[in-house]
Amino acid sequence: MVGATADGVLAAVDDDAYLDPVFVAGRHTMRPPTGGLLAPTTIREDEDGLGPVSYQELIESPEFRAAPAAVHSVRVNVTLGTVDFAEFAAAASAESDRVLRSI
């Protein structure tokens, strides 16, 4: 989807439960040295039954960037529920370049 926004990509994959999390490559991803794939949240308040506090935490960190080497770990941990999306977003925001390198 050339020229798509993160919201456009999420709308295109909205009905596919197997695409969680989603990683988006764009111009920023291809720029060294930081790059990083964009990981926008696919969680919606009404669909996932999140309480107001959990959802508010998610809104504050609705996306993060992950280095290609970290993508597999993010995918596995979010899918298994061992680490949630907000924890990865917080870890990425703690990095100086705001790109998650590893967990």
Side-chain angles (χ1 to χ4, degrees), residues 6-25:
D7 288 337
V9 171
L10 290 175
V13 301
D14 192 37
D15 293 333
D16 194 332
Y18 295 105
L19 294 176
D20 182 24
V22 172
F23 297 94
V24 181

Side-chain angles (χ1 to χ4, degrees), residues 21 23 39 64-95 99-103:
F23 297 94
F64 64 92
R65 292 201 173 269
V71 168
H72 178 71
S73 182
V74 171
R75 169 83 170 124
V76 168
N77 283 289
V78 168
T79 301
L80 295 176
T82 54
V83 180
D84 67 22
F85 190 89
E87 290 176 279
F88 282 115
S93 69
E95 296 294 325
V99 176
L100 182 70
R101 303 259 177 244
S102 63
I103 59 165

Side-chain angles (χ1 to χ4, degrees), residues 33-58:
T34 56
L37 292 130
L38 179 65
T41 184
T42 57
I43 297 173
R44 303 290 180 257
E45 180 177 21
D46 55 346
E47 294 173 3
D48 297 309
L50 295 174
V53 173
S54 298
Y55 190 66
Q56 185 58 40
E57 290 171 0
L58 208 58

